[in-house]
């Protein structure tokens, strides 16, 4: 007799790619009305496993059961048929469509061959009321906040009456308040009878909402534990196979002379006809980690694009080591003393169809040690690549010969981090350096950034992760709407205050409100 207590069972799943077994005889079971967390290192096989469940990959071995019955999922349409939905890490929305049209796309109700928007709107509005989603259904997605866009993704699943919900790194771009709201939404969904698989690297979130956690390491299940019977330390050790330091040990803050000076910088987006950076002024000093915090889309990316030379500057000055580099080429900025871990690793960090070896030498191939008479020294290049692969624990199926496109996102990121840190420049710009990385890789990269800071380098960090901001930053600037709205030190501000600044409350206004509140309390 079949056990129908399980909403989904993935039994003995094996999936292979060239040079690597992504899933090696993996078995996971999701109970009805529970949140099952899926935890693992980068390249451990989490995304591959969920891609199989959602119909994007077909396994070599194994079977999938829903409510005790074997099912075949060959594509996402099959997954939808079996009421399985997925919120991807990068939202699958059409920006110029309305909220309503995004939700019904592919599942449009029709009446005599015409889309019945009235019927769709009634159903979606009922779902919004039920789950407390405050969304304007006629608004265009491009005008929504990231948190609101995520609610649209969730509504897409609920509109299709999905009862198995997969959340892939859902909190990566949310504010603290939006994360708390999402956690409540997930709890409410399981109360309504939904079953959730929750992929995340954030141990705090797992401890807060999950019922059980499956830990994967190198394609195999290392254990399944009940959250009430475990700790963050135990989970991290199961994941990476060793004890992980979850708290950073920082040396005292001792900044020296300014390395980077940004003066009255303005930037303009011609396509959107808006100013994206508005009169921003700051400096970054030697021996300092300055963090730019804020909700994604508030000018941080454009600011970094201007400093690194990826985007044109409207006005203002950018000075590195007392040299005005506002109009210098990207290579000249790099030679002057700038390293850059870009936010978009695929667009600006890697050439995906090059080998790992070729990508690691991108910033150095023109140096004399690696070329002679315009011919690349293959022996030195290979030796250099192998050293970085070893030093930064970059994992791939075929070593330095591996095509970067086939590597996991986390290992692609480690390749960029290794390449940029090894260059030993005076200024390191790190934009979302640990996005999508597991706790072991995050620990390693955080230590590398602190090591650079302690050796006298200037670090400009852009991060959406408040735990990272508070753990690494010596000084914090908050951006909202292209402006610096607050400057503070991590030991003088709370997570809630920083969240308010990120939402657009200016620091002076917050101080006034706080002082008014104190006066009223005293009265």
């Amino acid at each position: 007799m079949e056990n129908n207590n399980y909403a989904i069972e993935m039994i003995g799943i094996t999936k292979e790619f060239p040079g690597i077994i992504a899933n090696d005889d993996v078995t996971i079971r999701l109970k009805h009305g529970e949140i099952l967390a899926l935890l693992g290192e980068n390249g451990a096989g989490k995304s591959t496993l969920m891609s199989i469940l959602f119909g994007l990959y077909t396994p070599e071995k194994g079977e999938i059961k829903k409510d005790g019955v074997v099912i075949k999922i060959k594509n996402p349409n099959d997954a939808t048929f079996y009421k399985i939905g997925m919120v991807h890490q990068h939202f699958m929305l059409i920006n110029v469509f309305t909220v309503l049209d995004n939700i019904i796309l592919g599942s449009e109700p029709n009446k005599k061959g015409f889309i019945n928007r009235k019927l769709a709107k009634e159903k979606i509005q009922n779902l919004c009321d039920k789950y407390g989603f405050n969304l304007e259904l006629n608004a265009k997605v491009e005008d929504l906040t990231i948190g609101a866009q995520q609610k649209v993704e969730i509504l897409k699943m609920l509109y299709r009456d999905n009862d198995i919900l997969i959340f892939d790194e859902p909190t990566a771009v949310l504010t603290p308040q939006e994360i708390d709201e999402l956690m409540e939404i997930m709890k409410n969904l399981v109360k309504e009878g939904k079953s959730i698989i929750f992929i995340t690297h954030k141990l705090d979130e797992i401890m807060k909402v999950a019922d059980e956690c499956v830990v994967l390491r190198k394609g195999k299940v290392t254990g399944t534990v009940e959250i009430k019977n475990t700790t963050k330390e135990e989970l991290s050790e199961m994941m990476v196979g060793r004890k992980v330091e979850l708290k950073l040990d920082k040396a005292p803050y001792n900044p020296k002379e300014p390395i980077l000076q940004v003066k009255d910088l303005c930037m303009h987006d011609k396509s959107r006809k808006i100013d994206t950076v508005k009169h921003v002024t700051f400096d970054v000093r030697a021996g300092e980690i300055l963090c730019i915090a804020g909700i994604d889309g508030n000018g941080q990316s454009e600011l970094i694009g201007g400093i690194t030379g990826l985007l044109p500057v409207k006005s203002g000055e950018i000075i590195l080591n007392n040299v005005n580099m506002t109009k210098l080429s990207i290579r000249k900025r790099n030679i002057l003393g700038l390293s850059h871990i870009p936010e978009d690793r695929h667009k600006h960090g890697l050439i995906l169809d090059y080998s790992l070896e070729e990508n690691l030498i991108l910033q150095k191939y023109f140096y004399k040690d690696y070329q002679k008479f315009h011919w690349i020294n293959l022996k030195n290049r290979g030796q250099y690549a192998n050293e970085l692969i070893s030093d930064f624990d970059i994992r791939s199926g075929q070593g330095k010969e591996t095509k970067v496109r086939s590597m996991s996102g986390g290992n692609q990121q480690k390749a960029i981090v290794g390449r940029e840190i090894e260059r030993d420049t005076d200024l390191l710009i790190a934009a979302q350096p640990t996005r999508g990385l597991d706790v072991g890789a995050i620990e390693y990269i955080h230590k590398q950034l602190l090591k650079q800071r302690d050796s006298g380098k200037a670090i400009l960090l852009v991060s959406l992760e408040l735990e990272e901001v508070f753990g690494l930053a010596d000084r914090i600037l908050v951006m909202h709407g292209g402006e610096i709205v607050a400057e503070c030190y991590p030991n003088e501000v709370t997570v809630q205050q920083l969240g308010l600044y990120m939402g657009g409350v200016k620091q002076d206004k917050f101080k006034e409100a706080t002082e008014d509140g104190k006066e009223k309390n005293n009265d």
Side-chain angles (χ1 to χ4, degrees):
M1 184 176 175
E2 296 288 355
N3 182 353
N4 289 329
N5 187 40
Y6 295 114
I8 285 289
E9 296 173 85
M10 302 183 75
I11 304 168
I13 300 293
T14 297
K15 179 64 183 175
E16 297 184 25
F17 296 105
I20 192 167
I21 301 176
N23 294 140
D24 188 356
D25 192 26
V26 172
T27 296
I28 69 168
R29 292 181 170 91
L30 171 68
K31 294 174 184 173
H32 287 284
E34 82 160 355
I35 298 176
L36 177 68
L38 199 57
L39 182 66
E41 292 181 281
N42 301 112
K46 307 182 301 297
S47 294
T48 300
L49 191 65
M50 289 302 99
S51 294
I52 289 170
L53 182 57
F54 195 60
L56 297 172
Y57 292 142
T58 302
E60 277 74 42
K61 297 178 185 176
E63 64 180 13
I64 299 172
K65 291 183 180 181
K66 185 172 190 287
D67 299 321
V69 178
V70 175
I71 60 174
K72 299 288 185 183
I73 303 176
K74 296 179 180 178
N75 55 57
N77 287 335
D78 289 344
T80 300
F81 175 79
Y82 288 114
K83 305 297 183 184
I84 298 169
M86 186 168 180
V87 174
H88 298 268
Q89 185 175 355
H90 302 289
F91 302 148
M92 302 292 184
L93 299 172
I94 299 175
N95 285 336
V96 295
F97 278 18
T98 65
V99 170
L100 175 68
D101 288 340
N102 267 281
I103 292 170
I104 67 175
L105 186 63
S107 298
E108 300 90 345
N110 67 80
K111 186 176 182 180
K112 295 180 180 179
F114 293 92
I115 296 175
N116 189 338
R117 279 188 165 77
K118 182 180 178 183
L119 182 64
K121 197 167 187 176
E122 286 176 4
K123 182 175 179 179
I124 295 167
Q125 193 59 58
N126 287 337
L127 288 168
C128 287
D129 295 341
K130 183 176 181 179
Y131 293 103
F133 289 3
N134 184 21
L135 287 171
E136 172 52 57
L137 300 185
N138 293 321
K140 286 188 177 180
V141 161
E142 64 187 357
D143 297 325
L144 301 182
T145 66
I146 297 296
Q149 288 182 32
Q150 187 174 69
K151 288 175 184 174
V152 177
E153 283 279 23
I154 295 170
L155 280 168
K156 279 170 61 179
M157 294 195 296
L158 299 176
Y159 176 78
R160 287 158 179 76
D161 299 316
N162 291 326
D163 50 30
I164 309 297
L165 313 180
I166 304 167
F167 287 82
D168 186 7
E169 299 283 351
T171 63
V173 293
L174 303 184
T175 66
Q177 288 84 350
E178 287 172 330
I179 290 172
D180 289 341
E181 193 176 347
L182 177 64
M183 298 292 107
E184 286 304 311
I185 289 169
M186 291 172 70
K187 289 177 182 177
N188 289 334
L189 287 168
V190 294
K191 286 178 184 176
E192 295 289 336
K194 309 293 184 185
S195 305
I196 295 176
I197 298 177
F198 177 34
I199 305 173
T200 182
H201 291 106
K202 300 178 182 178
L203 297 173
D204 284 331
E205 293 172 6
I206 290 177
M207 301 303 292
K208 188 179 291 185
V209 298
D211 299 296
E212 286 189 306
C213 180
V214 175
V215 184
L216 294 178
R217 187 163 79 239
K218 296 181 180 178
K220 295 184 177 182
V221 174
T222 59
T224 301
V225 295
E226 290 189 20
I227 296 304
K228 64 183 180 183
N229 297 328
T230 191
T231 64
K232 289 193 295 183
E233 289 73 17
E234 288 173 354
L235 287 175
S236 61
E237 189 170 350
M238 285 175 67
M239 181 170 63
V240 301
R242 61 176 176 81
K243 290 189 181 298
V244 178
E245 294 179 32
L246 298 177
K247 290 188 177 180
L248 293 169
D249 183 20
K250 280 176 66 174
Y253 177 40
N254 186 27
K256 301 291 195 304
E257 73 284 355
I259 298 295
L260 174 71
Q261 296 167 285
V262 176
K263 298 182 178 180
D264 199 30
L265 190 70
C266 295
M267 300 185 66
H268 184 76
D269 187 324
K270 289 182 179 178
S271 62
R272 291 185 290 163
K273 298 179 181 179
I274 60 168
D275 289 334
T276 53
V277 176
K278 305 169 186 175
H279 303 287
V280 166
T281 297
F282 66 90
D283 59 30
V284 190
R285 290 170 279 181
E288 172 184 55
I289 297 179
L290 174 67
C291 183
I292 306 286
I295 301 168
D296 203 18
N298 278 278
Q300 308 97 309
S301 299
E302 290 81 1
L303 174 65
I304 298 304
I307 295 171
T308 57
L310 290 171
L311 293 173
V313 167
K314 179 181 177 182
S315 62
E317 292 184 331
I318 304 163
I319 297 167
L320 178 62
N321 285 327
N322 297 316
V323 176
N324 189 331
M325 65 172 189
T326 313
K327 296 184 179 180
L328 293 184
S329 69
I330 293 174
R331 177 179 286 190
K332 286 180 179 178
R333 295 179 199 222
N334 292 344
I335 293 172
L336 188 62
L338 183 153
S339 287
H340 178 211
I341 301 167
E343 178 180 5
D344 189 332
R345 54 179 168 256
H346 288 174
K347 188 175 182 180
H348 295 129
L350 299 164
I351 301 175
L352 295 176
D353 290 317
Y354 276 19
S355 69
L356 176 56
E357 176 182 352
E358 290 166 331
N359 273 280
L360 290 174
I361 203 70
L362 282 176
Q363 300 279 33
K364 283 195 166 186
Y365 70 90
F366 51 87
Y367 286 11
K368 64 178 182 180
D369 288 345
Y370 302 102
Q371 61 92 19
K372 190 173 184 180
F373 305 124
H374 305 295
W375 290 89
I376 291 176
N377 186 321
L378 297 180
K379 180 181 177 182
N380 286 3
R381 183 181 78 174
Q383 183 179 342
Y384 174 75
N386 284 332
E387 287 173 0
L388 260 66
I389 289 168
S390 173
D391 290 347
F392 288 85
D393 189 28
I394 305 167
R395 300 178 188 178
S396 58
Q398 298 164 297
K400 61 184 174 68
E401 306 298 331
T402 306
K403 284 280 189 291
V404 165
R405 185 182 296 279
S406 69
M407 294 166 55
S408 72
N411 282 297
Q412 290 175 353
Q413 185 75 352
K414 285 199 275 187
I416 297 169
V417 169
R419 182 184 71 204
E420 298 302 314
I421 285 180
E422 193 279 336
R423 289 179 53 231
D424 194 30
T425 56
D426 296 319
L427 173 68
L428 173 61
I429 296 177
Q432 317 291 357
T434 61
R435 175 183 276 174
L437 297 190
D438 61 71
V439 66
I442 290 171
E443 174 203 38
Y444 183 81
I445 289 170
H446 282 176
K447 284 183 175 180
Q448 290 292 326
L449 293 176
L450 287 175
K451 184 178 178 182
Q452 294 293 301
R453 171 249 205 194
D454 294 342
S455 68
K457 311 297 184 187
I459 314 290
L460 178 58
L461 172 69
V462 177
S463 180
L464 304 175
E465 305 285 351
L466 287 192
E467 189 175 346
E468 183 168 72
V469 171
F470 278 92
L472 286 176
D474 296 304
R475 189 160 53 100
I476 302 168
L477 299 179
V478 182
M479 282 193 78
H480 179 81
E483 298 178 293
I484 303 293
V485 296
E487 178 178 4
C488 46
Y489 294 89
N491 61 340
E492 296 176 357
V493 68
T494 66
V495 171
Q496 288 73 25
Q497 287 171 350
L498 203 62
L500 289 171
Y501 297 152
M502 289 164 65
V505 176
K506 293 197 175 183
Q507 193 171 25
D508 54 351
K509 298 293 183 186
F510 178 83
K511 286 179 179 177
E512 287 173 14
T514 305
E515 287 166 5
D516 288 344
K518 286 179 181 177
E519 288 175 9
K520 288 177 183 177
N521 287 336
N522 291 335
D523 292 342

